[in-house]
RNA sequence: UGGGGCGUCGUCAAGUGGUAAAGACACAGGGUUUUGAUCCCUGCAUUCAGAGGUUCGAAUCCUCUCGCCCCAGCCA
């Protein structure tokens, strides 16, 4: 990991070069600037990790600053959620979150200064006219008839805009740059608009609000940001970013650097599409464990470390990328394999009666909490005449490479005994297997045979007399197509109908009764699971989420055979 | 057809003129194993979108071509 880190990416190289040249007196200050108009997803995590890691690596700092200049879309609940996500990931944003709205007074002063310099004017064209005057991608725009208003007139109008004397859309403040610029962002962009709407933080103090291009660069400058990292679509805005700071001669002039945002296959990562999934009821909400939002991933059992590792594994570049969902899973499994204590649970129970085990008796067996880590300690699991095993672990007529239980075969019950299947009981109506009758070898207690005989398979199991009932939610990828929007189809047409599979009547070892929400266990041979934090205590039986499966080479073999 | 970007293995991604083009994931094979998990080996780009050129030497420099992405909100 560390070695991977030292290799670095182009942004890191730029910062290192700046440091070498003592560009900002050796300071590195970055920021993560979300607009509180939605919930954060894994795509945002890439930006969060980048900004915080660069600050961390170079002994700088990283601010969490809300870009809250459009009260029409922003809400307190998003602010709260974003703060909690960043904290969950474990990043330190200097104690307190910052807000662009805290700078509204200074931003206003800057706007006035721009007017005084003759570099901004109040335009009274309608929205539609502004669009017409802007020209097109291939044709230059033309000057607004209001472009040459006097400074006095502009100041008067702008003041009255601020005082709420005009209606929305009647006037706006524009930077006076170049209507013929090949870069449309430079064609006298609007920098202030009238919006008679209360703001979540400034209430009804303001009737005018600054636009992104004006707010962002100045907020960066005010905070002394050295490297302003953003996504590729803002590349065209950089000349405007620089123009504003130059005209206003700010003490600090951060360097904007753009990188590519990511996509992940089999899912979608845009607020708009995610919102549709919620609004149209395809998922249970923004925190549905199938969603790629941070709150959903947390609920599902993802660890902050797995997300951070993922973000550094995908790298930073300017190439549009579609990352394998498998990579995310790999990072998750790697982390969970280290951290998750082992338990046993049976999802599709099949009863096994051990006919030579004394009726009415039971015993406690010792089980390791982690096969490679003795420091995880041990626990006891109880064993008796009746147990449950996984239905998939038995086949009446097994194929060649099936190592599990079958008539006449002997297997090991993990941490318990060798058992041999003697007979199979079936429902006479349906033919469904209802019970297996087996014998056990008392000499194999703990799982080793004193005579040295080997068995090929080891099965997980639970004591039928002493286990807990639970519902388990199994998740699969949300979409069936790598690119949910492929072939020009609406992405909702590619939804995976089996992305949620609710298993009722699962049997788990009793030790799981004390499991805390979001604390992930490995159910041996099955995968990683945690108690659902939202449903916890709201149903008669606990609900476990399957965070991710284990790698399953048996499933792979089967898949191949079926092809 | 204007402007701004991007093109290195199936997917990400190092590489910034000098002998053999990192690494990760995926994939394939083998070993260990009381999880068909983990772990450990091995293999996996004579080639860097394509074509020319400069050079003793190019993925790296030059020219042209092709492909893909972004921009015409009083959104961010």
């Amino acid at each position: 990991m560390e070695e991977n880190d030292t290799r670095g990416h182009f942004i890191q190289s730029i910062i290192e070069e700046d440091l070498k040249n003592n560009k900002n007196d050796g300071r590195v200050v970055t920021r993560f600037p979300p607009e509180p108009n939605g919930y954060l997803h894994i795509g945002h995590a890439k930006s969060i990790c980048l900004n915080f890691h660069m600050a961390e690596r170079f002994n700088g700092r990283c601010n969490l600053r809300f870009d809250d200049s459009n009260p029409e879309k922003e809400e307190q609940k998003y602010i709260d959620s974003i703060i909690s996500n960043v904290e969950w990931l474990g990043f330190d944003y200097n104690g307190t979150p910052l807000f662009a709205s805290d700078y509204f007074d200074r931003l206003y002063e800057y706007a006035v200064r721009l007017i005084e310099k003759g570099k901004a004017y109040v335009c009274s064209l309608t929205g539609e006219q502004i669009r017409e005057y802007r020209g097109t991608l291939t044709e230059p725009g033309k000057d607004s008839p209001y472009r040459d208003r006097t400074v006095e007139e502009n100041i008067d109008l702008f003041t009255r805009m601020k005082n709420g004397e005009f209606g929305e859309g009647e006037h706006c403040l524009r930077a006076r740059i170049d209507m013929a610029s090949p870069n449309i962002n430079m064609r006298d962009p609007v920098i202030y608009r009238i919006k008679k709407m209360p703001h979540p933080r400034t209430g009804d103090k303001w009737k005018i609000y600054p636009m992104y291009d004006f707010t962002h660069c100045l907020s960066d400058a005010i905070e002394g940001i050295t490297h302003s990292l953003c996504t590729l679509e803002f590349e065209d805005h950089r000349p405007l970013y620089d123009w504003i700071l130059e005209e206003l001669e700010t003490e600090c002039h951060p360097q904007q650097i753009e990188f590519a945002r990511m996509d992940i296959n089999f899912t979608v990562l845009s607020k708009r599409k995610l919102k549709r999934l919620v609004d149209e009821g395809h998922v249970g909400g923004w925190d549905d464990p199938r969603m790629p939002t941070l709150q959903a991933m947390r609920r599902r059992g993802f660890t902050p470390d797995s997300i951070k590792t993922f973000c550094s594994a995908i790298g930073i570049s300017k190439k549009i990328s579609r990352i394998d969902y498998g990579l995310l899973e790999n990072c998750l499994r790697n982390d969970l394999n280290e951290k998750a204590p082992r338990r046993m649970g049976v999802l599709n129970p099949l009863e096994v009666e051990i006919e030579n085990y004394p009726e009415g008796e039971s015993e406690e067996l010792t089980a390791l909490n982690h096969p490679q880590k003795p420091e995880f300690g041990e626990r006891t699991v109880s064993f008796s005449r009746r147990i449950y095993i996984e239905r998939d672990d038995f086949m009446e007529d097994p194929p060649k490479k099936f190592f599990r239980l079958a008539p006449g075969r002997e297997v090991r019950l993990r941490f318990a005994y060798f058992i041999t299947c003697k007979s199979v009981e079936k429902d006479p109506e349906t033919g469904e297997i209802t019970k297996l009758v087996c014998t056990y070898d008392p000499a194999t207690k703990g799982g080793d045979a004193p005579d040295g005989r080997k068995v090929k398979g080891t099965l997980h199991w639970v004591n039928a007399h002493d286990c807990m009932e639970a519902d388990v939610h199994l998740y699969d990828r949300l979409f069936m197509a790598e690119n949910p929007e492929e072939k020009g189809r609406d992405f909702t047409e590619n939804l995976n109908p089996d992305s949620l599979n609710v298993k009722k009547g699962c049997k788990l070892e009793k030790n799981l009764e004390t499991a805390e929400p979001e604390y992930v266990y490995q159910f041996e041979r099955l995968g990683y699971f945690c108690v659902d934090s939202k449903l916890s205590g709201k149903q008669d039986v606990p609900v476990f989420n399957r965070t991710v499966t284990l790698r399953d080479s048996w499933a792979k073999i089967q898949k191949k055979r079926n092809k």
Side-chain angles (χ1 to χ4, degrees), chain A residues 121-148 172 174-175 177-190:
Chain A
Y121 61 97
V122 172
C123 183
S124 309
L125 253 23
T126 64
E128 198 171 328
Q129 287 171 320
I130 286 183
R131 198 184 323 130
E132 284 163 13
Y133 275 72
R134 186 153 35 220
T136 69
L137 294 178
T138 51
E139 302 157 41
K142 53 184 183 186
D143 289 357
S144 161
Y146 304 100
R147 200 170 197 260
D148 294 315
C172 62
R174 295 229 251 165
I177 309 179
D178 177 10
M179 288 307 291
S181 171
N183 181 346
I184 291 181
N185 293 300
M186 300 298 270
R187 318 238 262 233
D188 290 11
V190 173

Side-chain angles (χ1 to χ4, degrees), chain A residues 23-75:
Chain A
K23 186 174 169 187
N24 300 294
D25 304 320
R27 281 177 310 118
V28 173
V29 186
T30 58
R31 96 275 92 111
F32 172 61
E35 183 190 13
N37 70 343
Y39 297 103
L40 260 29
H41 55 66
I42 181 74
H44 295 107
K46 177 179 180 180
S47 174
I48 295 172
C49 290
L50 205 216
N51 279 291
F52 280 96
H53 278 151
M54 286 303 97
E56 215 166 77
R57 180 176 195 91
F58 299 108
N59 289 315
R61 59 188 166 85
C62 176
N63 295 340
L64 168 59
R65 181 182 72 235
F66 288 93
D67 230 328
D68 57 347
S69 57
N70 183 4
E72 210 168 298
K73 299 185 173 178
E74 296 150 9
E75 292 180 48

Side-chain angles (χ1 to χ4, degrees), chain A residues 246-447:
Chain A
E246 268 161 37
E247 291 298 338
L248 260 9
E249 297 168 70
T250 54
E251 234 170 273
C252 167
H253 187 142
Q255 179 183 7
Q256 175 177 306
I257 307 168
E258 310 83 11
F259 63 93
R261 52 161 32 124
M262 71 165 157
D263 274 323
I264 299 182
N265 59 16
F266 299 106
T267 190
V268 292
L269 288 185
S270 86
K271 279 178 195 165
R272 203 197 97 247
K273 288 175 201 154
L274 261 16
K275 186 172 188 312
R276 270 191 63 197
L277 293 177
V278 174
D279 291 347
E280 295 173 16
H282 298 115
V283 294
W286 287 92
D287 58 355
D288 184 300
R290 292 167 291 179
M291 293 281 274
T293 56
L294 260 17
Q295 43 175 336
M297 293 172 76
R298 176 178 183 173
R299 186 175 159 197
R300 169 112 168 222
F302 277 79
T303 55
D305 279 348
S306 67
I307 291 173
K308 290 180 187 175
T309 317
F310 172 72
C311 288
S312 65
I314 58 175
I316 300 291
S317 76
K318 297 189 75 161
K319 189 175 76 174
I320 50 149
S321 61
R322 171 168 246 105
I323 284 124
D324 260 333
Y325 187 83
L327 182 61
L328 218 203
E329 287 186 321
N330 182 68
C331 295
L332 219 207
R333 289 191 184 107
N334 276 343
D335 193 41
L336 259 17
N337 180 47
E338 295 291 316
K339 294 174 179 163
R342 307 301 111 128
R343 293 291 184 268
M344 291 196 284
V346 175
L347 268 32
N348 297 297
L350 171 60
E351 190 185 330
V352 172
E353 181 171 2
I354 297 160
E355 58 182 359
N356 59 339
Y357 195 90
E359 194 97 49
E361 280 187 28
S362 75
E363 65 185 307
E364 297 292 319
L365 301 166
T366 302
L368 260 27
N369 288 332
H370 191 121
Q372 283 85 31
K373 293 175 185 286
E375 64 272 25
F376 274 60
E378 301 169 342
R379 68 188 187 283
T380 58
V381 288
S382 75
F383 188 81
S384 73
R385 184 180 166 100
R386 285 178 55 244
I387 61 167
Y388 293 112
I389 65 164
E390 208 70 59
R391 263 180 194 277
D392 288 352
D393 284 339
F394 176 80
M395 276 185 114
E396 249 193 311
D397 187 19
K400 276 271 175 304
K401 289 192 167 171
F402 188 79
F403 303 154
R404 285 110 95 143
L405 200 57
R409 268 213 212 159
E410 185 172 50
V411 297
R412 169 168 39 234
L413 293 177
R414 173 131 244 227
F415 303 122
Y417 296 97
F418 285 11
I419 58 168
T420 304
C421 178
K422 294 299 183 188
S423 62
V424 180
E425 290 181 15
K426 294 182 186 175
D427 183 317
E429 305 272 300
T430 63
E432 191 198 13
I433 297 171
T434 52
K435 188 167 134 183
L436 262 29
V437 179
C438 298
T439 57
Y440 85 117
D441 176 358
T444 57
K445 181 168 178 174

